[in-house]
Amino acid sequence: MQSNKKPLRFRLFALLVGILCSLGVSAQQITVQGIVKDQTGEPVIGASVVQDGTNNGVITDFDGKFTLSVPGDSKIRISYIGYITQLIPVKGQSTFNITLEEDSEMLSEVVVIGYGSVDKKELTSAVSHVSSKDFLNIASSDPAMQIQGKVAGVSIDNRGAADPNVSSSIQVRGLSSRSAGTGPLIVIDGVPGGNLMNVNSNDIASIDVLKDGAASAIYGTRGSNGVILITTKQGSKDGAIHTTYNGYVSADFIVNPMKTLSAEQFRQWRVPQGGTDMGGDTDWMDEITRTGFSHSHALTLSGGNAQNNYRVTVDMRQAKGIDLRSDRKEWGARATFNHTTKNGLFKFTANVAPRFVNKNNSDWGVFDVALVANPTTPVFDPSDPSGKTYYNFQGQDNYNPVEKLKLEKNYDETKWFDWDVTAKLNLLPLLAPEASNHTLSTQVTLAQQINDNMNYWYAPSTMTTEINAGRKGEAKQAYTKDRQESLEWLVNYSFQKKGHSLSFMGGYSYQYWMHNGMTAENKDFSSDAFLWNNLGNGEYMLEEGRNGMSSYRNDAKLIAFFGRLSYDWEKRYMVTASLRYEGSSKFGDNNKWGYFPAVSAGWRISDEAFMEDIRWINDLKIRGDFGMTGNQDFDAYKSLATYGGFGWVYYNGGYYQVWGPGKNVNPDLKWEKGINWNVGVDFSLFDNRLSGSINYYHRKQQDLLGDYTVPVPPYLFESTFANVGTMRNTGIEINLDILAVQTKDFTYNIGFVGSTNNNKFVSFSNSIYKGNPYMDVCGLPGPNNPGNLQRIQEGERIGNYRTYAYAGVDADGNWLVWNKDNTEKISINDATEEDKRITGNGLPKFTASLANTFTWKNWDLTLYFRGAFGFDLFNVHDLYYGLQSSNKISNVLPKAYEENAAITTGVNVLTDYFIERGDYVKLDVATLGYTWNVDKKYLERIRFYLTGRNLFTITGFSGVDPSTYSVNGLTPGTFGGNRNYYPSTTQLMFGVQVDF
């Protein structure tokens, strides 16, 4: 019997030991590793791999691999935007091969909105999102150019893209103001009023554009022109340190340059008509231009974990324009730090971004001078044996353009410094620790932006223009400083239960702006060696009554209270309402504060039971919104009684400043009011291979700001800055994304963006101020006083050309035009203003872009086309340089003696003879790239790419590149009332990205 008991005790002991050992193994830390792929077998880069219920986690590397230390009995959660999250038990296993499936219920994007972000699936207003992976990847210091044509309804103009010191003009859903600002509000990482030029494109994670009233009303009096939200990249959270280098070199070559008569042609055609042969042979356009080179380098260091992470980028860029003088050197940095306390109670974020820019500014006027300069005039004076004295253009009604660029100095030193800090407190762990379906937090953000610029200008005494004017050099310094300070306090609450989701955001905003500056100038110096550094040495300002100095200082303040409430059920029925109550020191005493409400709603039809059998529709949502916005982008003190100087009076041996009222007081001055509504549909079809959105918008901008004529008396002055007039914009926007081909090794994606804009200036008057029913704009310079090219008229689109109607030429080669009744051809000498009529329009009716993206294994190719349609351009260069009748000592285009040979006597007459269709399509960007996955000890990946920009243009326009004509602002289709332009270029760029 006893012999049987011993084995039983032994077996019980062995069982106990086994249980204890298994418990020890399950609690023991083990290292798990694996790879995360998508359904096509491609690695998923940046997927989150986290121990469930903790902050212990990493993200996958460029090969989709991960390594993580976890307890043997834990679970790991694998997630990535656009894919279904997986929860996998470890069970002591150390190696995992994980395949993520696409989440058909998700539109794969998180969209940033005012003071927050939402899943694109929950969006109920018109917001466009562009990820950094979709940027155009061009050589430019202006981040806006990376999305040119990428966002429906957003027009990005840059008339001089090859000038390194020119930034773009941005207009959202058409022109919205006559005299106030027309550009959108820039918000960088939640801080409104940001400087887009102080952001390196490598640091941007995404750009979101709030286009409709419901989305932008949360920004009140700064929302009427739309809002651009920049989200910068944050530190990595996988515990490793990542180092990345981005660099490129580029070259710009002039494309389709205007060519005037050669020296030989000038002697053949112009000299017999009165031109002078100066004995030389000069291509002036060639003399003032060069190939523009640039190079850029950015080094990024990123590291940390979910609780503490950082990202620091330092960058340097140097660029030379295609003219002889312009260049730009800039050095910048951006540092981001995030810290979350261990218990998640507090989160602190800090951003710092300094930038230093030194630049030599171009003078676009030299291109005009080069075109009309006599090609028989030499660059240098042949009578000077040294060959260093520039030829004096005295008597030619112009100046030597090469001398202008070589000897005159126009130099800027710019310093930008932006910083912001945010402290966030999660309140529920303190107030209700068990409330798992609630969130409640509050945060405070302090920010400051400082823009500091010093301009230096000098014309030496050796310049022929100085010699001709009897001057011994001229110099000027101009200093400007802009400072913006802001405080934003937010409270966020959310609640979720049984499909119901409720969120609330409330806040307070305070912003203060200060602008100051000064200028000082003098002439006639004892030496050119001083440049601008010894203004007191000049003799010109020693004369009594001259001071050569000026300065200014002004400030403004804005305070706002705002809130937003959102509700949805199962992401099927959604509604959002917001209200902002805002006041500005710019407004008059009777209108200091205003309300800006908005409401939007969405219905996901595809989730309804009656849609279950329609398999080809994956997602379908309709939405509509209404919102009121404002525009307070005008100078401070416009509503106040201010005094100004009215010259100087000499009295009793001294000079005294005369002071008096500077303008009419307007206590009723307020913001321009935008009344906006939008309807749209978002869809995803055919297993998510076709997705997109369609929007129709209607925006009525009333109480337009401008100067209006008033009677004297009772007013002191004939003009008052007041809220008068109404403008309307309507249009349709289309976004389409097509996954045309998808295999394991090859994909082909198509992106189409198109938009229409129908603008109408409704009224120039209201019940108080009665203005003219029209306004003539775009006055062109002489000779012959051509007059105004365009007319803005009640009930009409902006951009209307008002000219004579061309009817041929008479026997003397003079212009014939049609009379006002269009019944008789009359001489231009007999024509009156009444004979003019609307002869075209410079505002495009439709703009579009088409992006074609191919990937094959490690290769990628992007072909990006862009175009504008349904508009006219006034060929201003034909007007000034295309006629024989222009100044005989000046050069002209060959067409003056070819196509325009019959017109021999008319000078600078505004007729529709110079109006042409401006429609164009261009291959704007082509990029070929290769990614080499090195995966060595010190090197992870290298990407090489070659980009060509502005490769070809298809157009019927006979002038310069039609895209160099501005389509933004009050005078679309023109050069803004002048003929100066900066030649268009083709850019070739080679770049590399190295991940260490």
Side-chain angles (χ1 to χ4, degrees):
M1 294 288 297
Q2 289 189 2
S3 62
N4 292 331
K5 290 181 180 178
K6 185 174 180 180
L8 178 61
R9 289 196 299 269
F10 177 78
R11 286 196 296 272
L12 290 173
F13 177 75
L15 178 61
L16 179 61
V17 170
I19 292 173
L20 292 174
C21 288
S22 65
L23 290 173
V25 169
S26 65
Q28 189 177 29
Q29 290 287 118
I30 65 172
T31 299
V32 297
Q33 60 184 2
I35 184 170
V36 180
K37 298 181 178 180
D38 61 18
Q39 291 168 295
T40 66
E42 292 298 313
V44 178
I45 303 170
S48 174
V49 183
V50 181
Q51 178 188 340
D52 190 38
T54 72
N55 291 327
N56 177 32
V58 297
I59 60 174
T60 55
D61 62 17
F62 293 104
D63 297 316
K65 297 178 180 179
F66 69 90
T67 302
L68 181 66
S69 179
V70 297
D73 63 345
S74 64
K75 298 178 181 180
I76 55 174
R77 182 181 296 273
I78 302 93
S79 61
Y80 189 75
I81 294 175
Y83 293 86
I84 298 173
T85 298
Q86 294 190 26
L87 187 63
I88 301 175
V90 176
K91 295 181 180 179
Q93 184 178 343
S94 61
T95 304
F96 294 86
N97 289 313
I98 301 162
T99 300
L100 293 181
E101 297 181 359
E102 289 187 359
D103 187 354
S104 60
E105 297 296 316
M106 194 172 184
L107 293 181
S108 76
E109 287 180 345
V110 174
V111 178
V112 179
I113 59 175
Y115 301 103
S117 61
V118 297
D119 188 325
K120 186 176 181 179
K121 191 171 183 178
E122 303 172 22
L123 199 62
T124 56
S125 53
V127 180
S128 292
H129 174 87
V130 183
S131 173
S132 59
K133 65 182 178 61
D134 297 317
F135 287 177
L136 293 178
N137 212 16
I138 59 176
S140 175
S141 60
D142 184 358
M145 296 300 292
Q146 303 291 348
I147 63 169
Q148 187 179 32
K150 286 277 187 177
V151 181
V154 177
S155 175
I156 299 176
D157 256 359
N158 193 326
R159 288 184 49 209
D163 185 341
N165 300 316
V166 173
S167 59
S168 58
S169 159
I170 308 175
Q171 196 169 276
V172 179
R173 288 186 166 179
L175 181 71
S176 61
S177 182
R178 170 189 165 189
S179 299
T182 59
L185 173 68
I186 306 297
V187 179
I188 301 176
D189 289 331
V191 178
N195 178 9
L196 198 57
M197 297 297 289
N198 193 22
V199 185
N200 187 299
S201 297
N202 293 305
D203 288 327
I204 299 177
S206 66
I207 298 178
D208 296 89
V209 184
L210 312 185
K211 297 187 291 186
D212 63 6
S216 55
I218 198 69
Y219 289 104
T221 59
R222 292 172 295 168
S224 273
N225 298 323
V227 182
I228 293 182
L229 304 170
I230 307 294
T231 302
T232 61
K233 296 175 182 177
Q234 302 297 299
S236 57
K237 301 178 181 180
D238 60 354
I241 298 177
H242 299 272
T243 305
T244 301
Y245 165 80
N246 282 280
Y248 67 76
V249 293
S250 71
D252 283 88
F253 308 92
I254 297 179
V255 60
N256 191 28
M258 282 194 291
K259 285 291 186 179
T260 47
L261 299 178
S262 66
E264 181 181 352
Q265 292 172 318
F266 189 90
R267 293 185 178 100
Q268 176 186 352
W269 286 329
R270 299 296 280 174
V271 171
Q273 293 182 335
T276 305
D277 185 353
M278 310 299 293
D281 187 350
T282 305
D283 184 335
W284 286 103
M285 186 65 75
D286 187 62
E287 290 290 339
I288 66 169
T289 58
R290 63 189 175 187
T291 299
F293 287 101
S294 69
H295 60 94
S296 174
H297 312 274
L299 186 65
T300 300
L301 191 67
S302 177
N305 51 40
Q307 289 183 300
N308 301 282
N309 57 78
Y310 61 89
R311 190 177 193 275
V312 179
T313 297
V314 292
D315 64 84
M316 176 267 182
R317 182 174 184 268
Q318 185 172 358
K320 291 185 177 182
I322 58 171
D323 65 279
L324 295 179
R325 188 167 73 189
S326 66
D327 64 36
R328 182 186 185 94
K329 299 177 183 178
E330 62 179 287
W331 305 264
R334 179 170 292 271
T336 300
F337 304 94
N338 294 283
H339 168 67
T340 304
T341 56
K342 187 175 182 181
N343 53 16
L345 192 64
F346 291 97
K347 181 179 180 180
F348 300 95
T349 301
N351 297 288
V352 180
R355 186 164 298 275
F356 305 91
V357 182
N358 296 338
K359 57 185 180 180
N360 285 297
N361 299 299
S362 176
D363 184 336
W364 289 20
V366 297
F367 292 102
D368 171 54
V369 174
L371 288 169
V372 300
N374 186 332
T376 68
T377 303
V379 177
F380 295 96
D381 189 344
S383 64
D384 179 12
S386 70
K388 296 181 179 180
T389 300
Y390 286 98
Y391 196 90
N392 195 326
F393 270 48
Q394 190 172 30
Q396 295 193 39
D397 196 28
N398 238 315
Y399 56 83
N400 189 319
V402 177
E403 178 189 44
K404 176 92 166 177
L405 293 178
K406 285 289 191 178
L407 296 187
E408 183 185 87
K409 310 295 182 184
N410 191 339
Y411 175 72
D412 276 281
E413 292 179 349
T414 304
K415 301 174 185 177
W416 294 320
F417 185 72
D418 300 347
W419 64 265
D420 64 86
V421 293
T422 300
K424 180 179 180 180
L425 171 64
N426 290 315
L427 294 170
L428 279 188
L430 294 175
L431 304 178
E434 305 301 324
S436 60
N437 57 346
H438 297 261
T439 65
L440 179 63
S441 65
T442 184
Q443 68 181 55
V444 175
T445 299
L446 297 175
Q448 184 181 62
Q449 295 96 38
I450 298 175
N451 301 335
D452 190 291
N453 186 78
M454 194 75 191
N455 173 258
Y456 305 92
W457 177 83
Y458 187 72
S461 62
T462 55
M463 283 187 67
T464 56
T465 51
E466 293 295 296
I467 294 171
N468 297 340
R471 301 258 74 94
K472 294 183 293 183
E474 301 178 57
K476 182 179 180 179
Q477 292 190 22
Y479 173 75
T480 59
K481 182 175 183 178
D482 302 316
R483 188 179 83 242
Q484 175 183 310
E485 297 168 347
S486 63
L487 180 150
E488 305 272 346
W489 177 27
L490 301 179
V491 175
N492 282 282
Y493 167 77
S494 67
F495 167 77
Q496 293 180 338
K497 188 175 183 180
K498 296 182 179 179
H500 297 278
S501 178
L502 180 71
S503 63
F504 169 78
M505 182 276 298
Y508 165 82
S509 177
Y510 170 90
Q511 286 198 281
Y512 174 77
W513 295 269
M514 188 277 292
H515 312 280
N516 68 281
M518 62 165 293
T519 62
E521 60 183 325
N522 210 340
K523 305 176 184 180
D524 300 333
F525 299 93
S526 62
S527 171
D528 287 325
F530 295 125
L531 295 176
W532 45 66
N533 297 309
N534 192 354
L535 295 179
N537 178 257
E539 300 175 358
Y540 181 79
M541 294 301 169
L542 295 178
E543 185 175 327
E544 286 189 285
R546 296 173 177 169
N547 60 22
M549 296 178 292
S550 65
S551 63
Y552 67 91
R553 183 185 179 99
N554 59 72
D555 64 356
K557 187 185 299 182
L558 184 146
I559 296 175
F561 304 88
F562 51 88
R564 180 173 58 225
L565 183 66
S566 299
Y567 167 80
D568 77 76
W569 181 72
E570 296 286 1
K571 294 184 173 59
R572 186 184 303 180
Y573 310 113
M574 297 150 282
V575 62
T576 297
S578 68
L579 178 67
R580 185 175 179 108
Y581 180 58
E582 185 169 82
S584 172
S585 63
K586 293 183 178 181
F587 305 150
D589 287 340
N590 299 334
N591 288 299
K592 284 293 184 186
W593 293 83
Y595 290 94
F596 302 92
V599 62
S600 61
W603 175 26
R604 176 155 285 100
I605 304 176
S606 56
D607 283 359
E608 297 292 349
F610 60 80
M611 297 288 290
E612 289 182 357
D613 296 331
I614 306 178
R615 303 296 183 185
W616 57 276
I617 297 180
N618 304 106
D619 190 86
L620 181 63
K621 177 181 64 178
I622 60 173
R623 48 183 168 76
D625 62 75
F626 170 84
M628 294 180 62
T629 56
N631 186 355
Q632 58 109 48
D633 189 5
F634 57 90
D635 293 339
Y637 311 150
K638 285 284 190 179
S639 68
L640 302 179
T642 58
Y643 272 65
F646 284 81
W648 297 79
V649 62
Y650 184 79
Y651 175 74
N652 200 23
Y655 284 95
Y656 296 88
Q657 174 79 66
V658 178
W659 289 90
K663 63 180 183 304
N664 293 326
V665 178
N666 185 1
D668 295 318
L669 191 68
K670 62 178 181 178
W671 57 94
E672 296 181 337
K673 182 191 294 184
I675 301 174
N676 315 263
W677 59 268
N678 185 101
V679 292
V681 57
D682 302 323
F683 54 86
S684 184
L685 313 173
F686 310 114
D687 292 328
N688 300 307
R689 284 184 172 269
L690 171 62
S691 61
S693 64
I694 300 175
N695 287 282
Y696 172 79
Y697 66 88
H698 182 285
R699 179 173 65 180
K700 183 180 179 182
Q701 198 80 3
Q702 58 191 43
D703 299 329
L704 297 182
L705 291 160
D707 291 304
Y708 289 84
T709 302
V710 293
V712 179
Y715 293 93
L716 296 176
F717 298 90
E718 294 181 347
S719 177
T720 289
F721 192 70
N723 296 93
V724 185
T726 302
M727 189 185 297
R728 184 173 69 229
N729 285 276
T730 60
I732 297 174
E733 299 168 348
I734 302 173
N735 288 75
L736 296 176
D737 293 297
I738 304 170
L739 179 56
V741 180
Q742 184 181 38
T743 65
K744 181 179 179 180
D745 293 329
F746 178 77
T747 61
Y748 172 34
N749 288 277
I750 302 172
F752 174 79
V753 171
S755 62
T756 68
N757 178 249
N758 184 25
N759 171 281
K760 182 176 288 188
F761 211 109
V762 178
S763 173
F764 280 99
S765 305
N766 61 16
S767 58
I768 300 175
Y769 299 96
K770 300 297 181 182
N772 289 327
Y774 64 85
M775 178 174 66
D776 289 328
V777 295
C778 197
L780 294 179
N784 202 41
N785 189 25
N788 294 294
L789 177 59
Q790 291 188 343
R791 170 170 286 186
I792 301 174
Q793 190 162 352
E794 289 183 352
E796 301 286 342
R797 285 164 61 90
I798 64 168
N800 275 340
Y801 299 110
R802 184 174 178 270
T803 71
Y804 296 108
Y806 174 70
V809 294
D810 61 20
D812 297 324
N814 201 7
W815 294 97
L816 292 176
V817 297
W818 290 101
N819 66 357
K820 63 180 180 180
D821 300 320
N822 214 39
T823 57
E824 181 185 358
K825 297 179 180 181
I826 59 176
S827 170
I828 190 64
N829 300 323
D830 299 325
T832 67
E833 282 291 308
E834 293 183 353
D835 294 310
K836 288 184 177 180
R837 80 270 318 266
I838 302 302
T839 51
N841 188 277
L843 182 65
K845 294 180 179 178
F846 182 68
T847 58
S849 69
L850 181 69
N852 301 270
T853 304
F854 308 85
T855 63
W856 179 70
K857 294 186 177 180
N858 290 8
W859 292 89
D860 61 87
L861 172 67
T862 298
L863 301 176
Y864 179 72
F865 296 86
R866 182 169 59 88
F869 311 91
F871 72 114
D872 304 303
L873 293 177
F874 186 86
N875 196 333
V876 67
H877 299 120
D878 259 17
L879 173 72
Y880 285 98
Y881 316 131
L883 301 176
Q884 302 176 36
S885 51
S886 60
N887 192 334
K888 295 300 184 290
I889 65 174
S890 299
N891 205 353
V892 292
L893 297 170
K895 64 169 53 179
Y897 293 91
E898 296 169 352
E899 297 100 311
N900 302 339
I903 307 170
T904 58
T905 59
V907 180
N908 294 359
V909 176
L910 297 183
T911 80
D912 59 356
Y913 181 84
F914 301 107
I915 296 177
E916 306 175 36
R917 295 297 291 173
D919 299 21
Y920 69 89
V921 174
K922 65 170 54 192
L923 178 55
D924 202 28
V925 178
T927 298
L928 176 65
Y930 178 78
T931 301
W932 178 24
N933 295 313
V934 182
D935 199 20
K936 299 297 184 182
K937 182 176 181 180
Y938 300 108
L939 199 58
E940 288 188 4
R941 185 183 73 152
I942 303 177
R943 169 174 161 76
F944 305 94
Y945 60 91
L946 181 66
T947 295
R949 182 164 176 253
N950 194 27
L951 295 175
F952 66 79
T953 301
I954 301 173
T955 181
F957 184 63
S958 65
V960 298
D961 186 342
S963 66
T964 61
Y965 279 77
S966 176
V967 294
N968 289 351
L970 278 174
T971 59
T974 75
F975 285 144
N978 61 65
R979 56 184 183 261
N980 295 342
Y981 88 113
Y982 202 84
S984 181
T985 64
T986 290
Q987 182 185 86
L988 296 179
M989 179 177 72
F990 174 75
V992 62
Q993 176 181 327
V994 183
D995 296 302
F996 297 95

